[in-house]
Amino acid sequence: MSVLAWIIVTSLFGGTLSVLFAAALTLNTRASWVQMLISYAIGALLGAAFLNALPEALELSKSPAQMTGTVLFGILLFFILEKLVLWRHCHVEECEAHDVLPGPSTIPAIIAGGQHDHGRSGLMIMLGDTFHNFVDGILIAAAFMVDVQLGIVTAIAIIAHEIPQEAGDFLILLNSGYTRRQALLFNLLSSGATLIGGLAAYFMLQDMNHLIPSLLGLAAASMIYVAMSDLIPGLHKRPEIGATIQQVALITLGISSIWLAGSLFSHHPA
């Protein structure tokens, strides 16, 4: 397939499948599955960042120091962007955005319609998720324009972390008073921003190839930040030895799957 075809397929079907899988998880109230996916997603993100995106960015960059500076800037940038979302979304002492997912004990009540916040958080979540998906599309396109193999593993990592995130968005929409059908529809529409971002990046980067290494650096920064800041802290809420062993095993599985995906696909420069 052509690079453009790869971008369209991974952006469109990847986003749709992640939403449908997340909906299936939440509707079946399998909170333990969501927690397991979070551990796997951490491994996939870290694997894609350190085994693929960052090495490729360093290889394309004229200055390794400049590239590591770009990654450092990206981590700070994503921290500031997340703060902006929290500032708009939180009260001083109570914040609905601090927890990525509601706890297992609250999920059945939310799905049954027993509690909701009358739409206060649903719209904000959808706006933020749409922008996030748009940026994901840009990062996927930038990776594919360097190398098909890099694009595939980057897409796998992004889709892997989208599943638990979409599950959280789904539950927040239900908690805001939306019906299951409305929550599914809004999440599917939001996932379409991934394709829009991918197409926009593909046509814009044709004449701006010098931006690709920086975008790969930002992609690595995004993966590292999401894994370390948003996902890993949630694992510390289950400190028991059995849960820790399971988490380490699933993180290792996520890293291994990215390494295996990179090994299975030959190196085809774009």
Side-chain angles (χ1 to χ4, degrees), residues 24-37:
L25 287 175
T26 52
L27 290 178
N28 286 301
T29 68
R30 300 294 179 90
S32 60
W33 290 8
V34 178
Q35 297 299 325
M36 291 173 62
L37 278 170

Side-chain angles (χ1 to χ4, degrees), residues 64-270:
Q66 181 180 355
M67 180 50 56
T68 55
T70 299
V71 175
L72 182 60
F73 168 77
I75 291 174
L76 180 60
L77 175 64
F78 290 116
F79 170 76
I80 294 173
L81 290 175
E82 189 170 47
K83 277 289 189 180
L84 291 175
V85 173
L86 292 175
W87 285 336
R88 290 181 56 86
H89 195 46
C90 296
H91 300 293
V92 176
E93 299 194 56
E94 289 185 10
C95 182
E96 296 161 355
H98 287 326
D99 295 322
V100 176
L101 292 174
S105 62
T106 66
I107 291 177
I110 291 174
I111 293 178
Q115 52 178 298
H116 59 81
D117 64 6
H118 305 288
R120 285 177 295 164
S121 56
L123 179 60
M124 189 64 194
I125 284 294
M126 281 298 92
L127 290 176
D129 195 39
T130 299
F131 176 75
H132 181 95
N133 290 336
F134 182 82
V135 173
D136 282 346
I138 294 175
L139 300 180
I140 289 173
F144 270 113
M145 293 183 71
V146 172
D147 176 72
V148 171
Q149 172 190 338
L150 178 63
I152 291 172
V153 295
T154 299
I156 290 173
I158 287 176
I159 291 169
H161 97 269
E162 280 293 330
I163 293 174
Q165 177 184 306
E166 295 289 354
D169 293 345
F170 202 91
L171 291 170
I172 290 171
L173 285 172
L174 294 176
N175 190 49
S176 295
Y178 293 89
T179 65
R180 298 184 188 188
R181 180 176 297 180
Q182 288 173 329
L184 178 60
L185 177 60
F186 288 156
N187 269 312
L188 285 172
L189 290 175
S190 176
S191 71
T194 305
L195 177 59
I196 297 174
L199 292 175
Y202 175 80
F203 291 108
M204 290 179 62
L205 291 176
Q206 295 287 345
D207 299 321
M208 294 185 290
N209 289 333
H210 61 282
L211 294 179
I212 291 180
S214 295
L215 286 174
L216 289 178
L218 291 176
S222 173
M223 295 172 188
I224 295 169
Y225 181 81
V226 169
M228 303 300 292
S229 173
D230 293 340
L231 300 183
I232 284 182
L235 300 189
H236 294 317
K237 296 179 181 179
R238 298 179 60 201
E240 57 271 19
I241 186 64
T244 300
I245 293 174
Q246 181 189 71
Q247 291 163 1
V248 172
L250 288 168
I251 290 173
T252 303
L253 179 62
I255 295 173
S256 300
S257 66
I258 292 299
W259 174 82
L260 182 61
S263 302
L264 288 177
F265 297 96
S266 58
H267 195 79
H268 295 302

